[in-house]
Amino acid sequence: MAFQPHNLVKNAIRPLSFWLGVLYVILTLSHWLILPRDVAPIMMGIAGGSALSLFTLYWYSGQKTFTRASVYPVGTFIAGVVGVNSFVHMLLDPHPHLSTNIGLLIIGLGVFMIDRNWYLGNLMVALIGYGIVLGILGYSDSWTPFLFFILQATILSVIANYVRTQNAINLANRQQEIELVAQFAIENEDRFRTLADATFEGIVIHQNGFILDANPAFATLFDYEIYEMIGMSVYDLVAPEDRETAIANARSGSEQMYEIAAQKRDGQRFIIEVRGRMVQRETGPIRVVAVRDVTEQREYERELRREALIFENISDSVILTDLSGKIIDINPATVRLFGYEREELIGKTPAEMWHVPRTGVSVNEQIIQGIHQNGRWQGEIEVVRRDKVHRVMDVTALPLVDSDGSRIATIGVSQDITDRKAAEQAMKQAKEAAEDANKAKTNFLASMSHELRTPLNAVIGYTELIIEEARHNKLETVEVDAIKISSASRHLLGIINDILDIARIEAGRVHLSLTSFSIAYLVDDVRAAVEPLIAKNGNIFIMEIADDVKKLYGDELRVRQMLVNLLGNAAKFTHSGTVSLNIHSANRGINFVVSDTGIGIKEDELERLFEAFTQSEENSTRTYGGTGLGLAITRRLCDIMGGSISVQSEVGKGSTFTLWLPDIAQIPDELTEVVEHN
Amino acid sequence: MAKILLVEDNEMNRDMMVRRLQHEGHTVVAAANGREAIELAEKEKPDLILMDISLPEMDGWEATRELKNRAETQQIPIIALTAHATHEDRVKSMEAGADAFETKPFRMPRLSAKIEKLLEDNPDLRDRYQKD
């Protein structure tokens, strides 16, 4: 530790003076006790010095208690007075006087002044004053004491001067230092404030969670004004689920960086990266926290991870090529699809690796042109794998652009569609084969129909001639037989017609001629056709048409066909009973209800009733005749027109068929033919 | 009654039809194929033609088109009479220019009604037809 003159005063002169003072008091008292003369001046000196020192003490320090720091100046003062006085008194002037004591008082004051770093001039004044007093009053019997005082004063002056000078220097240094520090502190605060204001990171200072200050970046981040944030709980800015984490970090004084979810004024959430540090202040520990919004960064990272995941795991080949067409990067699927290892491909072009040479514009050129013109290229490329197997790839090539829009690479996504194409081809062929077969079947049916009709035409025609001639010649037996031939022939014709009909319906080649027609006319026509059949088995025909039934839009001939079929069946399977036709409007259409009191249909046969080539009983064809196609055709025609048909029956009681047709037939366009109606 | 040109390649059917039409009171000339039909139509100037479709050398559709294209025969009504009973056959016949369509085997009353109607529509024939 450097020598400090100030310390000399404090540590040496003061105690020394103090104890000298004590010694003086003892000596004086003993002196007074032994030689009790001139008591008054001594007492006055002591009392005066003490009073002055107490006053000084009070004035100087303002302290109410006597500590070492406050007692020492007093001691020093007393020492200044009595120390020197005792020397003089004892050694030089055995009979001190009042004036001597006054002089000593002045010297003591001087010493006190020295101690208090007062100016040397004061001391000199005191010394000179003392010398003058002695000299003028002539109390001294010689100049010796005067010279001694001068010497003493000079020594004290030199010491005092030195001490004072050093103290002054120290003081000056200290003040300058204080000023510098203060200046520095001001500048520092400015600088830090500027720094904090300018930084993009949010900075917040809080004590026990209460915000003391924040920088603009922090306030902006949370959508507050700075003044609004002062005094707020910093944890209100943290998403509820992360508050505990934030509190724990702040409490522990951790300086680790961590991430939590934060919330803005409006509750909008984002992710922040937080790092705090505890700082000690007179008012207690405060925490300075730096906060950064990392939401975008995290999202970007997530996106990158996602993209990387796709790139790594997608079953399609992904190839990145530079502008010269050289492969920069590939994904694992590329290795699987082409059979080449990654190392073999980097730096090569797809064209030299696997493109099958083509005449005309190369695939590469096509891709470059496509990207240039349309921003992308999509097409099929035939490639050769490393194992020499040819595959067809469906390739989409896209430009990879920089943030400024300039193309930096090409990304090609390829999918092996060889198998798919083969399957499509097979399916196409199968479909064509099926269509061909269907066409062949239709053609066969058409020609069969023609081939059957031609001889049948002759049979029927000649039979008619025979009937005419037999009638003409009154050959009754011949006429009856010929009529049977005719009947059988017409039945055969009916079968041929039905087979052709159902084949065409099933092939979707039935054509409907749509017109709006009168139900009344239709019913007259139907009645004429079925009445003979109904009457044949001794049945009664009842017909009811509701008043609101007027017209229907559909294929008149087909509707007639359906009704004749249903009524024909009813007539056929009913004997001496009733066959009825009830027509009424129902649900935006018309219900045609055909009921009979015939033999009925067994429940298990009801299901198969509308299928082709089914009749109620296996042998009923023989018993009742018919092709067994009538209901199948009726059902299919009904379906085509958008209608419905249902049946209720009880064996032995009869059957009821309900045919519903919409007012306006709903038919696929290709089956429709609208007929002009006159 | 009317003079009818019957075009039919099947001999049996032709014979039967000729006789039945004659029984109805018509005068019948018969042709066995399309080409013959055109020749006879020009030569005989029939009041009506019954045209089979499946014919050797020139089928009924082509013959019908041909007859309808010629000035001297185009006014003669043609009934397509065929064992081809499908919708397409009907449409094709009408497109070729036939005035009516009937399927084989035919019913005489129905065919007669069509013949009568077509003859009635022809003003030249009407008087004669109605007189008879």
Side-chain angles (χ1 to χ4, degrees):
Chain A
M1 191 184 279
F3 171 74
Q4 290 282 328
H6 183 70
N7 290 345
L8 179 73
V9 172
K10 196 167 80 184
N11 299 330
I13 294 177
R14 279 175 183 173
L16 181 65
S17 304
F18 178 74
W19 291 113
L20 282 174
V22 172
L23 181 65
Y24 167 77
V25 171
I26 294 165
L27 288 173
T28 303
L29 285 175
S30 61
H31 181 248
W32 172 66
L33 289 170
I34 298 162
L35 297 167
R37 53 183 182 132
D38 289 335
V39 177
I42 297 165
M43 293 305 289
M44 277 177 66
I46 292 168
S50 299
L52 191 62
S53 63
L54 280 171
F55 167 74
T56 308
L57 174 75
Y58 183 79
W59 165 77
Y60 167 68
S61 67
Q63 289 177 9
K64 300 283 189 284
T65 50
F66 290 86
T67 62
R68 280 162 71 91
S70 61
V71 166
Y72 274 145
V74 181
T76 308
F77 175 72
I78 294 169
V81 177
V82 298
V84 178
N85 192 23
S86 63
F87 273 107
V88 173
H89 203 82
M90 288 191 295
L91 302 174
L92 303 173
D93 185 13
H95 307 287
H97 300 283
L98 179 64
S99 60
T100 311
N101 281 314
I102 292 169
L104 289 173
L105 191 68
I106 294 169
I107 293 169
L109 192 61
V111 174
F112 174 74
M113 284 174 167
I114 293 166
D115 187 47
R116 295 268 54 85
N117 298 317
W118 288 351
Y119 286 117
L120 179 62
N122 292 3
L123 178 65
M124 294 310 292
V125 167
L127 289 170
I128 291 162
Y130 179 65
I132 289 169
V133 168
L134 288 177
I136 289 172
L137 295 177
Y139 281 114
S140 179
D141 44 0
S142 70
W143 283 99
T144 313
F146 179 70
L147 288 173
F148 175 78
F149 281 126
I150 294 297
L151 179 67
Q152 185 191 16
T154 305
I155 294 164
L156 282 170
S157 296
V158 171
I159 296 169
N161 191 37
Y162 175 74
V163 169
R164 206 216 71 81
T165 309
Q166 285 302 318
N167 282 353
I169 291 167
N170 280 348
L171 187 70
N173 284 348
R174 230 178 26 245
Q175 267 173 354
Q176 196 181 9
E177 202 176 301
I178 288 164
E179 276 167 22
L180 274 173
V181 168
Q183 179 68 25
F184 184 70
I186 290 165
E187 282 178 4
N188 248 2
E189 206 194 329
D190 265 3
R191 204 159 52 232
F192 283 130
R193 172 55 71 184
T194 313
L195 204 61
D197 285 357
T199 188
F200 292 108
E201 279 203 336
I203 296 170
V204 64
I205 301 170
H206 69 88
Q207 188 162 32
N208 298 324
F210 293 101
I211 296 175
L212 301 175
D213 203 357
N215 71 338
F218 187 83
T220 309
L221 195 59
F222 289 89
D223 206 15
Y224 284 92
E225 297 294 335
I226 293 173
Y227 69 84
E228 291 177 305
M229 301 194 102
I230 309 291
M232 252 182 85
S233 168
V234 80
Y235 303 118
D236 284 347
L237 303 172
V238 179
E241 71 269 18
D242 279 345
R243 269 177 203 157
E244 276 188 30
T245 314
I247 292 170
N249 268 288
R251 291 244 168 94
S252 70
S254 162
E255 296 190 358
Q256 292 296 316
M257 196 175 277
Y258 62 100
E259 266 183 40
I260 47 171
Q263 54 189 18
K264 298 196 181 203
R265 179 199 280 269
D266 62 2
Q268 189 197 328
R269 298 165 74 97
F270 59 112
I271 300 163
I272 51 171
E273 192 178 74
V274 183
R275 192 171 189 181
R277 169 169 286 183
M278 301 303 289
V279 179
Q280 290 296 330
R281 282 285 176 272
E282 302 91 46
T283 50
I286 60 166
R287 192 165 171 83
V288 182
V289 183
V291 167
R292 203 151 58 91
D293 183 355
V294 291
T295 313
E296 273 183 28
Q297 195 183 333
R298 293 292 169 270
E299 270 170 17
Y300 181 64
E301 284 167 6
R302 250 206 308 278
E303 198 179 310
L304 279 184
R305 275 201 297 276
R306 214 163 40 224
E307 280 170 7
L309 210 65
I310 293 168
F311 184 72
E312 289 299 319
N313 294 301
I314 192 171
S315 61
D316 294 355
S317 151
V318 181
I319 299 167
L320 218 62
T321 55
D322 64 15
L323 291 182
S324 69
K326 290 200 175 75
I327 296 172
I328 308 167
D329 199 4
I330 59 160
N331 70 336
T334 307
V335 176
R336 280 202 302 279
L337 286 176
F338 292 93
Y340 288 99
E341 291 303 321
R342 187 186 162 80
E343 299 71 39
E344 297 173 277
L345 295 176
I346 304 295
K348 302 279 175 46
T349 67
E352 66 181 294
M353 292 310 289
W354 51 63
H355 285 177
V356 174
R358 289 269 167 84
T359 49
V361 185
S362 77
V363 173
N364 224 25
E365 289 294 313
Q366 286 179 36
I367 292 174
I368 289 167
Q369 270 179 23
I371 289 177
H372 185 68
Q373 284 165 8
N374 311 316
R376 58 177 283 143
W377 183 86
Q378 204 265 330
E380 289 175 10
I381 299 178
E382 191 186 349
V383 300
V384 194
R385 288 197 317 219
R386 193 188 197 170
D387 57 9
K388 305 292 177 215
V389 174
H390 282 238
R391 304 295 283 180
V392 181
M393 295 283 174
D394 179 60
V395 180
T396 303
L398 298 162
L400 200 68
V401 291
D402 213 350
S403 53
D404 65 355
S406 61
R407 194 159 77 91
I408 51 170
T410 305
I411 187 160
V413 181
S414 312
Q415 193 184 11
D416 189 336
I417 55 165
T418 317
D419 296 341
R420 198 179 77 198
K421 274 185 83 76
E424 278 171 5
Q425 189 62 31
M427 220 156 85
K428 199 176 154 198
Q429 280 170 356
K431 199 182 165 215
E432 279 169 4
E435 278 170 0
D436 286 351
N438 210 22
K439 211 168 167 184
K441 183 177 143 194
T442 309
N443 286 343
F444 168 75
L445 282 166
S447 58
M448 191 193 76
S449 158
H450 178 260
E451 294 312 312
L452 289 174
R453 278 164 185 275
T454 303
L456 200 56
N457 189 41
V459 171
I460 291 171
Y462 277 113
T463 309
E464 294 296 328
L465 284 174
I466 291 167
I467 292 168
E468 280 171 27
E469 276 167 33
R471 207 171 277 157
H472 187 72
N473 296 324
K474 307 262 191 284
L475 298 168
E476 253 182 64
T477 339
V478 175
E479 190 189 341
V480 169
D481 289 348
I483 286 172
K484 283 181 179 166
I485 295 173
S486 178
S487 171
S489 303
R490 291 199 185 280
H491 184 73
L492 182 57
L493 180 63
I495 292 171
I496 292 168
N497 282 341
D498 281 356
I499 289 173
L500 192 69
D501 232 12
I502 200 145
R504 297 189 68 80
I505 290 168
E506 285 183 349
R509 290 166 71 108
V510 66
H511 281 260
L512 301 182
S513 304
L514 297 181
T515 55
S516 182
F517 58 90
S518 155
I519 298 293
Y521 287 139
L522 170 79
V523 166
D524 282 348
D525 200 16
V526 169
R527 182 208 280 268
V530 299
E531 258 184 345
L533 283 170
I534 291 169
K536 203 170 104 187
N537 285 344
N539 296 314
I540 302 165
F541 185 41
I542 301 171
M543 200 163 72
E544 295 167 340
I545 305 177
D547 289 341
D548 58 343
V549 174
K550 300 277 188 247
K551 286 195 163 191
L552 198 67
Y553 183 78
D555 187 319
E556 186 176 4
L557 278 179
R558 294 300 190 175
V559 176
R560 180 183 184 277
Q561 186 184 354
M562 290 190 278
L563 291 179
V564 170
N565 272 339
L566 292 176
L567 287 167
N569 280 344
K572 204 166 10 177
F573 296 108
T574 308
H575 295 266
S576 308
T578 308
V579 172
S580 65
L581 172 63
N582 178 294
I583 304 174
H584 57 266
S585 295
N587 189 26
R588 291 168 143 209
I590 295 174
N591 265 343
F592 298 88
V593 184
V594 176
S595 307
D596 64 56
T597 55
I599 59 170
I601 306 154
K602 285 184 194 155
E603 208 177 324
D604 60 329
E605 284 165 349
L606 280 175
E607 289 171 19
R608 300 187 299 126
L609 200 62
F610 294 103
E611 288 168 21
F613 302 107
T614 342
Q615 238 176 18
S616 179
E617 275 172 39
E618 289 300 317
N619 61 357
S620 65
T621 310
R622 257 172 286 154
T623 316
Y624 296 102
T627 58
L629 288 172
L631 283 177
I633 291 169
T634 302
R635 218 282 277 285
R636 281 163 176 74
L637 287 172
C638 164
D639 286 347
I640 291 171
M641 288 191 200
S644 63
I645 187 164
S646 62
V647 60
Q648 282 177 313
S649 184
E650 202 176 322
V651 175
K653 294 253 172 102
S655 310
T656 300
F657 286 82
T658 306
L659 168 69
W660 177 83
L661 292 173
D663 281 334
I664 294 167
Q666 307 292 319
I667 300 165
D669 280 348
E670 66 270 18
L671 301 180
T672 312
E673 180 194 334
V674 179
V675 174
E676 300 260 334
H677 196 74
N678 338 341
Chain B
M1 296 304 280
K3 186 181 191 181
I4 294 174
L5 170 59
L6 173 74
V7 191
E8 170 66 70
D9 64 321
N10 183 292
E11 205 187 323
M12 220 191 279
N13 272 321
R14 190 167 63 235
D15 171 60
M16 179 272 290
M17 296 250 337
V18 169
R19 283 166 64 188
R20 291 196 74 189
L21 288 169
Q22 282 170 346
H23 281 209
E24 293 293 314
H26 300 296
T27 311
V28 184
V29 283
N33 63 54
R35 207 167 301 285
E36 212 181 305
I38 292 166
E39 282 167 21
L40 274 174
E42 284 187 334
K43 200 174 116 194
E44 298 286 339
K45 300 275 184 302
D47 301 323
L48 187 138
I49 299 170
L50 281 173
M51 179 73 79
D52 188 18
I53 297 300
S54 295
L55 295 169
E57 291 189 47
M58 183 189 271
D59 71 24
W61 292 319
E62 210 184 325
T64 302
R65 257 190 301 276
E66 189 66 38
L67 287 165
K68 288 291 176 185
N69 273 338
R70 294 181 181 220
E72 56 271 37
T73 55
Q74 69 178 5
Q75 79 289 347
I76 305 171
I78 298 174
I79 297 175
L81 184 64
T82 173
H84 288 290
T86 68
H87 179 77
E88 285 93 330
D89 296 325
R90 180 190 292 267
V91 171
K92 273 173 109 173
S93 301
M94 293 317 211
E95 276 170 2
D99 299 271
F101 180 88
E102 269 302 303
T103 57
K104 288 192 280 191
F106 64 94
R107 282 168 175 269
M108 204 59 207
R110 197 179 153 97
L111 184 63
S112 291
K114 281 205 167 151
I115 292 170
E116 270 176 44
K117 187 170 186 303
L118 285 170
L119 292 175
E120 266 178 37
D121 285 348
N122 187 333
D124 296 338
L125 293 174
R126 197 187 297 145
D127 295 340
R128 182 152 57 107
Y129 188 70
Q130 278 175 347
K131 231 181 279 169
D132 293 331

